[in-house]
Amino acid sequence: DQQVKQNSPSLSVQEGRISILNCDYTNSMFDYFLWYKKYPAEGPTFLISISSIKDKNEDGRFTVFLNKSAKHLSLHIVPSQPGDSAVYFCAASGGSNYKLTFGKGTLLTVNP
Amino acid sequence: EAQVTQNPRYLITVTGKKLTVTCSQNMNHEYMSWYRQDPGLGLRQIYYSMNVEVTDKGDVPEGYKVSRKEKRNFPLILESPSPNQTSLYFCASSPFSLALNEQFFGPGTRLTVL
């Protein structure tokens, strides 16, 4: 049972435009959400996070939106740059443990 | 330099031959974790540890063991590897207060079990 879903395996965007990566979750116990970015042959790196008490968190070009009622979050990258081309993983945690559940990832390609 | 190191980076082995993948961090982090990454399945957590001698199962612990005898080290042990454990493995660490926030990942270990 996949509790964190990234339904788009890939996304292609033009440089300078907005990239929107989506993530859905099914476990209502999740209360903390994170995005990680991964380049080939490297480990993932933390990008941005959001707690369930918020509906938006911003860090430079990156903004994460959380819609609790829809169990949906999205990552917006504005403006997109070629260096943003990577796999983006959505992750979630919650409840009484410190497990982290990841989605399958979305490959973002930003074309010059 | 603050980092998480894993050894070996690449390993080809045969079914049933016990192996250990080491993970070490130099940031004095309490929280450490192991993940595996497989095509089409994303990252899945195997085991995690909140501190020395405290470990717990992630989503896919079957076939793996871990130990946390020292704060800096968190080895992953495959007692009897099987081909379905062929994967890319990542170790990660973070300060306990940020256990679910900024985890620092190692470079990965690519394991092939024949």
Side-chain angles (χ1 to χ4, degrees), chain A residues 32 34 36 38 42-44 46 49 89 93 97-104, chain B residues 31 35 37 40 42-43 45 48 50 57 59 90 100-103 105-106:
Chain A
Y32 206 86
L34 309 91
Y36 280 81
K38 184 180 181 303
E42 295 183 12
F46 170 75
S49 63
F89 289 102
S93 68
N97 60 48
Y98 285 87
K99 281 173 51 175
L100 195 57
T101 302
F102 282 80
K104 293 182 179 180
Chain B
Y31 184 95
Y35 299 87
Q37 183 186 7
L43 283 164
Q45 192 171 36
Y48 62 96
M50 310 259 277
K57 296 177 181 178
D59 289 321
F90 290 101
L100 301 173
N101 203 337
E102 185 172 359
Q103 290 192 38
F105 280 78

PDB file of all heavy atoms in Angstrom, chain A residues 32 34 36 38 42-44 46 49 89 93 97-104, chain B residues 31 35 37 40 42-43 45 48 50 57 59 90 100-103 105-106:
ATOM      1  N   TYR A  32       4.094  15.807   8.898  1.00  0.00           N
ATOM      2  CA  TYR A  32       5.298  16.534   8.493  1.00  0.00           C
ATOM      3  C   TYR A  32       5.696  16.042   7.118  1.00  0.00           C
ATOM      4  O   TYR A  32       5.750  14.834   6.879  1.00  0.00           O
ATOM      5  CB  TYR A  32       6.429  16.284   9.496  1.00  0.00           C
ATOM      6  CG  TYR A  32       7.430  17.399   9.546  1.00  0.00           C
ATOM      7  CD1 TYR A  32       7.227  18.501  10.372  1.00  0.00           C
ATOM      8  CD2 TYR A  32       8.568  17.367   8.759  1.00  0.00           C
ATOM      9  CE1 TYR A  32       8.122  19.536  10.418  1.00  0.00           C
ATOM     10  CE2 TYR A  32       9.472  18.402   8.797  1.00  0.00           C
ATOM     11  CZ  TYR A  32       9.249  19.481   9.625  1.00  0.00           C
ATOM     12  OH  TYR A  32      10.137  20.514   9.657  1.00  0.00           O
ATOM     13  N   LEU A  34       8.221  16.586   3.535  1.00  0.00           N
ATOM     14  CA  LEU A  34       9.532  17.065   3.097  1.00  0.00           C
ATOM     15  C   LEU A  34       9.706  16.804   1.606  1.00  0.00           C
ATOM     16  O   LEU A  34       9.121  15.876   1.049  1.00  0.00           O
ATOM     17  CB  LEU A  34      10.647  16.330   3.844  1.00  0.00           C
ATOM     18  CG  LEU A  34      10.586  16.270   5.360  1.00  0.00           C
ATOM     19  CD1 LEU A  34       9.843  15.024   5.849  1.00  0.00           C
ATOM     20  CD2 LEU A  34      11.994  16.270   5.935  1.00  0.00           C
ATOM     21  N   TYR A  36      12.927  16.198  -1.107  1.00  0.00           N
ATOM     22  CA  TYR A  36      14.345  15.975  -1.317  1.00  0.00           C
ATOM     23  C   TYR A  36      14.611  15.994  -2.814  1.00  0.00           C
ATOM     24  O   TYR A  36      13.767  15.620  -3.627  1.00  0.00           O
ATOM     25  CB  TYR A  36      14.780  14.623  -0.736  1.00  0.00           C
ATOM     26  CG  TYR A  36      14.993  14.620   0.753  1.00  0.00           C
ATOM     27  CD1 TYR A  36      13.918  14.496   1.634  1.00  0.00           C
ATOM     28  CD2 TYR A  36      16.273  14.750   1.290  1.00  0.00           C
ATOM     29  CE1 TYR A  36      14.119  14.497   2.999  1.00  0.00           C
ATOM     30  CE2 TYR A  36      16.476  14.750   2.656  1.00  0.00           C
ATOM     31  CZ  TYR A  36      15.393  14.621   3.499  1.00  0.00           C
ATOM     32  OH  TYR A  36      15.588  14.620   4.855  1.00  0.00           O
ATOM     33  N   LYS A  38      17.443  14.801  -5.837  1.00  0.00           N
ATOM     34  CA  LYS A  38      18.533  13.846  -6.030  1.00  0.00           C
ATOM     35  C   LYS A  38      19.086  13.941  -7.442  1.00  0.00           C
ATOM     36  O   LYS A  38      18.365  13.769  -8.432  1.00  0.00           O
ATOM     37  CB  LYS A  38      18.038  12.416  -5.769  1.00  0.00           C
ATOM     38  CG  LYS A  38      19.146  11.377  -5.849  1.00  0.00           C
ATOM     39  CD  LYS A  38      18.642   9.994  -5.598  1.00  0.00           C
ATOM     40  CE  LYS A  38      19.800   8.998  -5.674  1.00  0.00           C
ATOM     41  NZ  LYS A  38      20.519   9.048  -6.962  1.00  0.00           N
ATOM     42  N   GLU A  42      24.504  10.621  -6.719  1.00  0.00           N
ATOM     43  CA  GLU A  42      24.648  11.308  -5.434  1.00  0.00           C
ATOM     44  C   GLU A  42      23.517  10.903  -4.511  1.00  0.00           C
ATOM     45  O   GLU A  42      22.476  10.418  -4.953  1.00  0.00           O
ATOM     46  CB  GLU A  42      24.611  12.831  -5.621  1.00  0.00           C
ATOM     47  CG  GLU A  42      25.763  13.393  -6.403  1.00  0.00           C
ATOM     48  CD  GLU A  42      25.682  14.910  -6.476  1.00  0.00           C
ATOM     49  OE1 GLU A  42      24.879  15.513  -5.741  1.00  0.00           O
ATOM     50  OE2 GLU A  42      26.436  15.488  -7.276  1.00  0.00           O
ATOM     51  N   GLY A  43      23.718  11.131  -3.214  1.00  0.00           N
ATOM     52  CA  GLY A  43      22.624  10.911  -2.281  1.00  0.00           C
ATOM     53  C   GLY A  43      21.625  12.048  -2.349  1.00  0.00           C
ATOM     54  O   GLY A  43      21.938  13.143  -2.814  1.00  0.00           O
ATOM     55  N   PRO A  44      20.387  11.822  -1.905  1.00  0.00           N
ATOM     56  CA  PRO A  44      19.388  12.902  -1.881  1.00  0.00           C
ATOM     57  C   PRO A  44      19.837  14.035  -0.966  1.00  0.00           C
ATOM     58  O   PRO A  44      20.554  13.827   0.008  1.00  0.00           O
ATOM     59  CB  PRO A  44      18.146  12.206  -1.306  1.00  0.00           C
ATOM     60  CG  PRO A  44      18.366  10.743  -1.528  1.00  0.00           C
ATOM     61  CD  PRO A  44      19.854  10.548  -1.428  1.00  0.00           C
ATOM     62  N   PHE A  46      18.225  17.463   1.168  1.00  0.00           N
ATOM     63  CA  PHE A  46      17.003  18.090   1.660  1.00  0.00           C
ATOM     64  C   PHE A  46      16.759  19.418   0.955  1.00  0.00           C
ATOM     65  O   PHE A  46      17.678  20.208   0.718  1.00  0.00           O
ATOM     66  CB  PHE A  46      17.134  18.314   3.168  1.00  0.00           C
ATOM     67  CG  PHE A  46      16.044  19.163   3.749  1.00  0.00           C
ATOM     68  CD1 PHE A  46      14.781  18.646   3.936  1.00  0.00           C
ATOM     69  CD2 PHE A  46      16.290  20.484   4.097  1.00  0.00           C
ATOM     70  CE1 PHE A  46      13.777  19.427   4.466  1.00  0.00           C
ATOM     71  CE2 PHE A  46      15.293  21.273   4.621  1.00  0.00           C
ATOM     72  CZ  PHE A  46      14.033  20.750   4.810  1.00  0.00           C
ATOM     73  N   SER A  49      10.625  21.757   3.720  1.00  0.00           N
ATOM     74  CA  SER A  49       9.658  20.954   4.462  1.00  0.00           C
ATOM     75  C   SER A  49       8.482  21.815   4.885  1.00  0.00           C
ATOM     76  O   SER A  49       8.525  23.050   4.792  1.00  0.00           O
ATOM     77  CB  SER A  49      10.313  20.328   5.692  1.00  0.00           C
ATOM     78  OG  SER A  49      10.741  21.345   6.587  1.00  0.00           O
ATOM     79  N   PHE A  89      11.884  13.866  -4.631  1.00  0.00           N
ATOM     80  CA  PHE A  89      11.131  12.931  -3.802  1.00  0.00           C
ATOM     81  C   PHE A  89      10.321  13.700  -2.765  1.00  0.00           C
ATOM     82  O   PHE A  89      10.840  14.576  -2.071  1.00  0.00           O
ATOM     83  CB  PHE A  89      12.077  11.983  -3.069  1.00  0.00           C
ATOM     84  CG  PHE A  89      12.754  10.969  -3.935  1.00  0.00           C
ATOM     85  CD1 PHE A  89      14.071  11.155  -4.327  1.00  0.00           C
ATOM     86  CD2 PHE A  89      12.088   9.832  -4.360  1.00  0.00           C
ATOM     87  CE1 PHE A  89      14.714  10.224  -5.130  1.00  0.00           C
ATOM     88  CE2 PHE A  89      12.719   8.893  -5.163  1.00  0.00           C
ATOM     89  CZ  PHE A  89      14.034   9.098  -5.551  1.00  0.00           C
ATOM     90  N   SER A  93       6.040  11.978   7.328  1.00  0.00           N
ATOM     91  CA  SER A  93       6.177  11.265   8.598  1.00  0.00           C
ATOM     92  C   SER A  93       5.063  11.696   9.531  1.00  0.00           C
ATOM     93  O   SER A  93       4.393  12.708   9.305  1.00  0.00           O
ATOM     94  CB  SER A  93       7.520  11.557   9.241  1.00  0.00           C
ATOM     95  OG  SER A  93       7.563  12.906   9.644  1.00  0.00           O
ATOM     96  N   ASN A  97       6.133   7.401  15.655  1.00  0.00           N
ATOM     97  CA  ASN A  97       7.465   6.896  15.316  1.00  0.00           C
ATOM     98  C   ASN A  97       8.193   7.902  14.456  1.00  0.00           C
ATOM     99  O   ASN A  97       7.663   8.959  14.125  1.00  0.00           O
ATOM    100  CB  ASN A  97       7.348   5.549  14.610  1.00  0.00           C
ATOM    101  CG  ASN A  97       6.539   5.647  13.331  1.00  0.00           C
ATOM    102  OD1 ASN A  97       6.756   6.524  12.509  1.00  0.00           O
ATOM    103  ND2 ASN A  97       5.583   4.752  13.184  1.00  0.00           N
ATOM    104  N   TYR A  98       9.398   7.594  14.137  1.00  0.00           N
ATOM    105  CA  TYR A  98      10.222   8.479  13.327  1.00  0.00           C
ATOM    106  C   TYR A  98      10.546   7.845  11.987  1.00  0.00           C
ATOM    107  O   TYR A  98      11.610   8.044  11.440  1.00  0.00           O
ATOM    108  CB  TYR A  98      11.495   8.853  14.092  1.00  0.00           C
ATOM    109  CG  TYR A  98      11.224   9.859  15.166  1.00  0.00           C
ATOM    110  CD1 TYR A  98      10.839   9.454  16.434  1.00  0.00           C
ATOM    111  CD2 TYR A  98      11.325  11.217  14.913  1.00  0.00           C
ATOM    112  CE1 TYR A  98      10.571  10.387  17.422  1.00  0.00           C
ATOM    113  CE2 TYR A  98      11.064  12.158  15.896  1.00  0.00           C
ATOM    114  CZ  TYR A  98      10.680  11.728  17.148  1.00  0.00           C
ATOM    115  OH  TYR A  98      10.412  12.648  18.121  1.00  0.00           O
ATOM    116  N   LYS A  99       9.600   7.077  11.469  1.00  0.00           N
ATOM    117  CA  LYS A  99       9.763   6.548  10.118  1.00  0.00           C
ATOM    118  C   LYS A  99       9.516   7.639   9.109  1.00  0.00           C
ATOM    119  O   LYS A  99       8.722   8.554   9.346  1.00  0.00           O
ATOM    120  CB  LYS A  99       8.741   5.431   9.875  1.00  0.00           C
ATOM    121  CG  LYS A  99       9.108   4.109  10.481  1.00  0.00           C
ATOM    122  CD  LYS A  99       7.983   3.097  10.354  1.00  0.00           C
ATOM    123  CE  LYS A  99       7.447   2.982   8.954  1.00  0.00           C
ATOM    124  NZ  LYS A  99       6.441   1.909   8.851  1.00  0.00           N
ATOM    125  N   LEU A 100      10.202   7.523   7.989  1.00  0.00           N
ATOM    126  CA  LEU A 100      10.022   8.473   6.900  1.00  0.00           C
ATOM    127  C   LEU A 100       9.608   7.686   5.670  1.00  0.00           C
ATOM    128  O   LEU A 100      10.299   6.751   5.277  1.00  0.00           O
ATOM    129  CB  LEU A 100      11.325   9.223   6.652  1.00  0.00           C
ATOM    130  CG  LEU A 100      11.284  10.486   5.817  1.00  0.00           C
ATOM    131  CD1 LEU A 100      10.331  11.501   6.410  1.00  0.00           C
ATOM    132  CD2 LEU A 100      12.685  11.086   5.722  1.00  0.00           C
ATOM    133  N   THR A 101       8.463   8.052   5.087  1.00  0.00           N
ATOM    134  CA  THR A 101       7.950   7.349   3.919  1.00  0.00           C
ATOM    135  C   THR A 101       8.081   8.229   2.692  1.00  0.00           C
ATOM    136  O   THR A 101       7.587   9.359   2.682  1.00  0.00           O
ATOM    137  CB  THR A 101       6.473   6.963   4.131  1.00  0.00           C
ATOM    138  OG1 THR A 101       6.361   6.138   5.299  1.00  0.00           O
ATOM    139  CG2 THR A 101       5.940   6.180   2.930  1.00  0.00           C
ATOM    140  N   PHE A 102       8.753   7.712   1.667  1.00  0.00           N
ATOM    141  CA  PHE A 102       9.015   8.468   0.450  1.00  0.00           C
ATOM    142  C   PHE A 102       8.064   8.059  -0.660  1.00  0.00           C
ATOM    143  O   PHE A 102       7.598   6.913  -0.723  1.00  0.00           O
ATOM    144  CB  PHE A 102      10.447   8.211  -0.048  1.00  0.00           C
ATOM    145  CG  PHE A 102      11.513   8.948   0.701  1.00  0.00           C
ATOM    146  CD1 PHE A 102      11.975   8.482   1.919  1.00  0.00           C
ATOM    147  CD2 PHE A 102      12.070  10.106   0.174  1.00  0.00           C
ATOM    148  CE1 PHE A 102      12.971   9.163   2.609  1.00  0.00           C
ATOM    149  CE2 PHE A 102      13.070  10.789   0.854  1.00  0.00           C
ATOM    150  CZ  PHE A 102      13.518  10.317   2.070  1.00  0.00           C
ATOM    151  N   GLY A 103       7.829   8.981  -1.578  1.00  0.00           N
ATOM    152  CA  GLY A 103       7.172   8.661  -2.829  1.00  0.00           C
ATOM    153  C   GLY A 103       8.181   8.094  -3.812  1.00  0.00           C
ATOM    154  O   GLY A 103       9.365   7.964  -3.499  1.00  0.00           O
ATOM    155  N   LYS A 104       7.705   7.763  -5.015  1.00  0.00           N
ATOM    156  CA  LYS A 104       8.575   7.128  -5.997  1.00  0.00           C
ATOM    157  C   LYS A 104       9.459   8.126  -6.727  1.00  0.00           C
ATOM    158  O   LYS A 104      10.402   7.729  -7.403  1.00  0.00           O
ATOM    159  CB  LYS A 104       7.730   6.358  -7.018  1.00  0.00           C
ATOM    160  CG  LYS A 104       7.004   5.172  -6.424  1.00  0.00           C
ATOM    161  CD  LYS A 104       6.235   4.424  -7.497  1.00  0.00           C
ATOM    162  CE  LYS A 104       5.525   3.220  -6.891  1.00  0.00           C
ATOM    163  NZ  LYS A 104       4.764   2.447  -7.909  1.00  0.00           N
TER     164      LYS A 104
ATOM    165  N   TYR B  31      20.368  10.584  15.110  1.00  0.00           N
ATOM    166  CA  TYR B  31      19.491   9.803  14.244  1.00  0.00           C
ATOM    167  C   TYR B  31      20.259   9.315  13.021  1.00  0.00           C
ATOM    168  O   TYR B  31      20.938  10.090  12.352  1.00  0.00           O
ATOM    169  CB  TYR B  31      18.308  10.671  13.807  1.00  0.00           C
ATOM    170  CG  TYR B  31      17.252   9.973  12.976  1.00  0.00           C
ATOM    171  CD1 TYR B  31      16.117   9.443  13.576  1.00  0.00           C
ATOM    172  CD2 TYR B  31      17.352   9.891  11.591  1.00  0.00           C
ATOM    173  CE1 TYR B  31      15.123   8.826  12.830  1.00  0.00           C
ATOM    174  CE2 TYR B  31      16.375   9.272  10.839  1.00  0.00           C
ATOM    175  CZ  TYR B  31      15.259   8.753  11.463  1.00  0.00           C
ATOM    176  OH  TYR B  31      14.270   8.143  10.715  1.00  0.00           O
ATOM    177  N   TYR B  35      18.230   3.352   3.752  1.00  0.00           N
ATOM    178  CA  TYR B  35      17.197   3.311   2.720  1.00  0.00           C
ATOM    179  C   TYR B  35      17.710   2.483   1.554  1.00  0.00           C
ATOM    180  O   TYR B  35      18.901   2.381   1.336  1.00  0.00           O
ATOM    181  CB  TYR B  35      16.893   4.722   2.198  1.00  0.00           C
ATOM    182  CG  TYR B  35      16.385   5.683   3.247  1.00  0.00           C
ATOM    183  CD1 TYR B  35      17.264   6.422   4.025  1.00  0.00           C
ATOM    184  CD2 TYR B  35      15.023   5.850   3.452  1.00  0.00           C
ATOM    185  CE1 TYR B  35      16.799   7.308   4.994  1.00  0.00           C
ATOM    186  CE2 TYR B  35      14.552   6.734   4.418  1.00  0.00           C
ATOM    187  CZ  TYR B  35      15.444   7.456   5.172  1.00  0.00           C
ATOM    188  OH  TYR B  35      14.984   8.328   6.128  1.00  0.00           O
ATOM    189  N   GLN B  37      16.963   2.211  -2.725  1.00  0.00           N
ATOM    190  CA  GLN B  37      16.295   2.838  -3.854  1.00  0.00           C
ATOM    191  C   GLN B  37      16.233   1.854  -5.006  1.00  0.00           C
ATOM    192  O   GLN B  37      17.259   1.312  -5.427  1.00  0.00           O
ATOM    193  CB  GLN B  37      17.037   4.096  -4.326  1.00  0.00           C
ATOM    194  CG  GLN B  37      16.321   4.814  -5.461  1.00  0.00           C
ATOM    195  CD  GLN B  37      17.104   5.970  -6.025  1.00  0.00           C
ATOM    196  OE1 GLN B  37      18.254   6.207  -5.682  1.00  0.00           O
ATOM    197  NE2 GLN B  37      16.476   6.733  -6.898  1.00  0.00           N
ATOM    198  N   GLY B  40      11.306   2.546 -10.026  1.00  0.00           N
ATOM    199  CA  GLY B  40       9.855   2.464  -9.928  1.00  0.00           C
ATOM    200  C   GLY B  40       9.313   2.373  -8.518  1.00  0.00           C
ATOM    201  O   GLY B  40       8.098   2.389  -8.319  1.00  0.00           O
ATOM    202  N   GLY B  42      11.087   4.115  -5.750  1.00  0.00           N
ATOM    203  CA  GLY B  42      11.546   5.237  -4.950  1.00  0.00           C
ATOM    204  C   GLY B  42      12.460   4.807  -3.820  1.00  0.00           C
ATOM    205  O   GLY B  42      13.123   3.775  -3.878  1.00  0.00           O
ATOM    206  N   LEU B  43      12.478   5.599  -2.767  1.00  0.00           N
ATOM    207  CA  LEU B  43      13.296   5.317  -1.583  1.00  0.00           C
ATOM    208  C   LEU B  43      12.421   4.660  -0.521  1.00  0.00           C
ATOM    209  O   LEU B  43      11.352   5.165  -0.195  1.00  0.00           O
ATOM    210  CB  LEU B  43      13.857   6.620  -1.011  1.00  0.00           C
ATOM    211  CG  LEU B  43      15.025   7.256  -1.725  1.00  0.00           C
ATOM    212  CD1 LEU B  43      15.183   8.703  -1.281  1.00  0.00           C
ATOM    213  CD2 LEU B  43      16.302   6.494  -1.431  1.00  0.00           C
ATOM    214  N   GLN B  45      12.543   3.035   3.467  1.00  0.00           N
ATOM    215  CA  GLN B  45      13.341   2.995   4.687  1.00  0.00           C
ATOM    216  C   GLN B  45      13.444   1.553   5.197  1.00  0.00           C
ATOM    217  O   GLN B  45      12.444   0.847   5.337  1.00  0.00           O
ATOM    218  CB  GLN B  45      12.715   3.899   5.748  1.00  0.00           C
ATOM    219  CG  GLN B  45      13.602   4.147   6.948  1.00  0.00           C
ATOM    220  CD  GLN B  45      13.042   5.216   7.864  1.00  0.00           C
ATOM    221  OE1 GLN B  45      11.835   5.322   8.050  1.00  0.00           O
ATOM    222  NE2 GLN B  45      13.911   6.028   8.440  1.00  0.00           N
ATOM    223  N   TYR B  48      15.968   2.390  11.157  1.00  0.00           N
ATOM    224  CA  TYR B  48      16.482   3.645  11.640  1.00  0.00           C
ATOM    225  C   TYR B  48      16.881   3.503  13.101  1.00  0.00           C
ATOM    226  O   TYR B  48      16.485   2.548  13.786  1.00  0.00           O
ATOM    227  CB  TYR B  48      15.481   4.789  11.439  1.00  0.00           C
ATOM    228  CG  TYR B  48      14.166   4.650  12.175  1.00  0.00           C
ATOM    229  CD1 TYR B  48      13.968   5.268  13.408  1.00  0.00           C
ATOM    230  CD2 TYR B  48      13.106   3.931  11.617  1.00  0.00           C
ATOM    231  CE1 TYR B  48      12.754   5.154  14.071  1.00  0.00           C
ATOM    232  CE2 TYR B  48      11.900   3.820  12.276  1.00  0.00           C
ATOM    233  CZ  TYR B  48      11.730   4.437  13.494  1.00  0.00           C
ATOM    234  OH  TYR B  48      10.524   4.331  14.156  1.00  0.00           O
ATOM    235  N   MET B  50      17.452   5.958  16.671  1.00  0.00           N
ATOM    236  CA  MET B  50      17.306   7.270  17.298  1.00  0.00           C
ATOM    237  C   MET B  50      18.514   7.617  18.168  1.00  0.00           C
ATOM    238  O   MET B  50      18.716   8.788  18.493  1.00  0.00           O
ATOM    239  CB  MET B  50      16.041   7.275  18.172  1.00  0.00           C
ATOM    240  CG  MET B  50      14.844   6.766  17.411  1.00  0.00           C
ATOM    241  SD  MET B  50      13.824   8.079  16.844  1.00  0.00           S
ATOM    242  CE  MET B  50      12.888   8.370  18.315  1.00  0.00           C
ATOM    243  N   LYS B  57      12.384  -0.714  13.086  1.00  0.00           N
ATOM    244  CA  LYS B  57      12.157  -1.106  11.704  1.00  0.00           C
ATOM    245  C   LYS B  57      11.538   0.024  10.898  1.00  0.00           C
ATOM    246  O   LYS B  57      10.686   0.758  11.382  1.00  0.00           O
ATOM    247  CB  LYS B  57      11.227  -2.319  11.657  1.00  0.00           C
ATOM    248  CG  LYS B  57      11.792  -3.556  12.296  1.00  0.00           C
ATOM    249  CD  LYS B  57      10.788  -4.699  12.278  1.00  0.00           C
ATOM    250  CE  LYS B  57      11.363  -5.936  12.935  1.00  0.00           C
ATOM    251  NZ  LYS B  57      10.382  -7.040  12.964  1.00  0.00           N
ATOM    252  N   ASP B  59      10.103   0.486   6.668  1.00  0.00           N
ATOM    253  CA  ASP B  59       9.054  -0.153   5.880  1.00  0.00           C
ATOM    254  C   ASP B  59       9.457  -1.496   5.273  1.00  0.00           C
ATOM    255  O   ASP B  59       8.598  -2.331   4.994  1.00  0.00           O
ATOM    256  CB  ASP B  59       8.613   0.782   4.740  1.00  0.00           C
ATOM    257  CG  ASP B  59       7.833   1.972   5.260  1.00  0.00           C
ATOM    258  OD1 ASP B  59       7.024   1.775   6.189  1.00  0.00           O
ATOM    259  OD2 ASP B  59       8.027   3.088   4.753  1.00  0.00           O
ATOM    260  N   PHE B  90      21.300   3.732   0.639  1.00  0.00           N
ATOM    261  CA  PHE B  90      21.739   5.015   1.179  1.00  0.00           C
ATOM    262  C   PHE B  90      21.636   5.001   2.697  1.00  0.00           C
ATOM    263  O   PHE B  90      20.640   4.557   3.267  1.00  0.00           O
ATOM    264  CB  PHE B  90      20.868   6.161   0.649  1.00  0.00           C
ATOM    265  CG  PHE B  90      21.071   6.463  -0.791  1.00  0.00           C
ATOM    266  CD1 PHE B  90      20.173   5.997  -1.742  1.00  0.00           C
ATOM    267  CD2 PHE B  90      22.166   7.208  -1.219  1.00  0.00           C
ATOM    268  CE1 PHE B  90      20.357   6.267  -3.082  1.00  0.00           C
ATOM    269  CE2 PHE B  90      22.359   7.489  -2.555  1.00  0.00           C
ATOM    270  CZ  PHE B  90      21.451   7.016  -3.499  1.00  0.00           C
ATOM    271  N   LEU B 100      13.319  14.338  11.439  1.00  0.00           N
ATOM    272  CA  LEU B 100      12.431  14.214  10.305  1.00  0.00           C
ATOM    273  C   LEU B 100      12.561  15.413   9.387  1.00  0.00           C
ATOM    274  O   LEU B 100      11.694  15.681   8.591  1.00  0.00           O
ATOM    275  CB  LEU B 100      11.000  14.068  10.809  1.00  0.00           C
ATOM    276  CG  LEU B 100      10.870  12.850  11.713  1.00  0.00           C
ATOM    277  CD1 LEU B 100       9.516  12.798  12.355  1.00  0.00           C
ATOM    278  CD2 LEU B 100      11.162  11.583  10.947  1.00  0.00           C
ATOM    279  N   ASN B 101      13.640  16.115   9.511  1.00  0.00           N
ATOM    280  CA  ASN B 101      13.847  17.274   8.670  1.00  0.00           C
ATOM    281  C   ASN B 101      15.067  17.061   7.794  1.00  0.00           C
ATOM    282  O   ASN B 101      15.052  16.212   6.913  1.00  0.00           O
ATOM    283  CB  ASN B 101      13.977  18.528   9.521  1.00  0.00           C
ATOM    284  CG  ASN B 101      13.639  19.773   8.735  1.00  0.00           C
ATOM    285  OD1 ASN B 101      13.721  19.776   7.509  1.00  0.00           O
ATOM    286  ND2 ASN B 101      13.277  20.822   9.422  1.00  0.00           N
ATOM    287  N   GLU B 102      16.096  17.784   8.042  1.00  0.00           N
ATOM    288  CA  GLU B 102      17.219  17.721   7.132  1.00  0.00           C
ATOM    289  C   GLU B 102      18.110  16.527   7.422  1.00  0.00           C
ATOM    290  O   GLU B 102      19.025  16.622   8.235  1.00  0.00           O
ATOM    291  CB  GLU B 102      18.035  18.999   7.195  1.00  0.00           C
ATOM    292  CG  GLU B 102      19.151  19.033   6.161  1.00  0.00           C
ATOM    293  CD  GLU B 102      19.817  20.385   6.106  1.00  0.00           C
ATOM    294  OE1 GLU B 102      19.392  21.279   6.856  1.00  0.00           O
ATOM    295  OE2 GLU B 102      20.752  20.543   5.318  1.00  0.00           O
ATOM    296  N   GLN B 103      17.848  15.432   6.768  1.00  0.00           N
ATOM    297  CA  GLN B 103      18.736  14.277   6.853  1.00  0.00           C
ATOM    298  C   GLN B 103      19.852  14.436   5.832  1.00  0.00           C
ATOM    299  O   GLN B 103      19.634  14.847   4.704  1.00  0.00           O
ATOM    300  CB  GLN B 103      17.973  12.985   6.580  1.00  0.00           C
ATOM    301  CG  GLN B 103      17.002  12.622   7.683  1.00  0.00           C
ATOM    302  CD  GLN B 103      16.468  11.213   7.552  1.00  0.00           C
ATOM    303  OE1 GLN B 103      17.168  10.296   7.173  1.00  0.00           O
ATOM    304  NE2 GLN B 103      15.197  11.046   7.872  1.00  0.00           N
ATOM    305  N   PHE B 105      22.503  12.613   3.566  1.00  0.00           N
ATOM    306  CA  PHE B 105      22.643  11.302   2.960  1.00  0.00           C
ATOM    307  C   PHE B 105      24.093  11.044   2.533  1.00  0.00           C
ATOM    308  O   PHE B 105      24.814  11.957   2.128  1.00  0.00           O
ATOM    309  CB  PHE B 105      21.750  11.181   1.731  1.00  0.00           C
ATOM    310  CG  PHE B 105      20.310  10.896   2.057  1.00  0.00           C
ATOM    311  CD1 PHE B 105      19.469  11.901   2.493  1.00  0.00           C
ATOM    312  CD2 PHE B 105      19.800   9.616   1.919  1.00  0.00           C
ATOM    313  CE1 PHE B 105      18.138  11.641   2.799  1.00  0.00           C
ATOM    314  CE2 PHE B 105      18.467   9.339   2.211  1.00  0.00           C
ATOM    315  CZ  PHE B 105      17.642  10.359   2.645  1.00  0.00           C
ATOM    316  N   GLY B 106      24.470   9.774   2.611  1.00  0.00           N
ATOM    317  CA  GLY B 106      25.742   9.339   2.072  1.00  0.00           C
ATOM    318  C   GLY B 106      25.648   9.213   0.558  1.00  0.00           C
ATOM    319  O   GLY B 106      24.583   9.399  -0.032  1.00  0.00           O
TER     320      GLY B 106
END
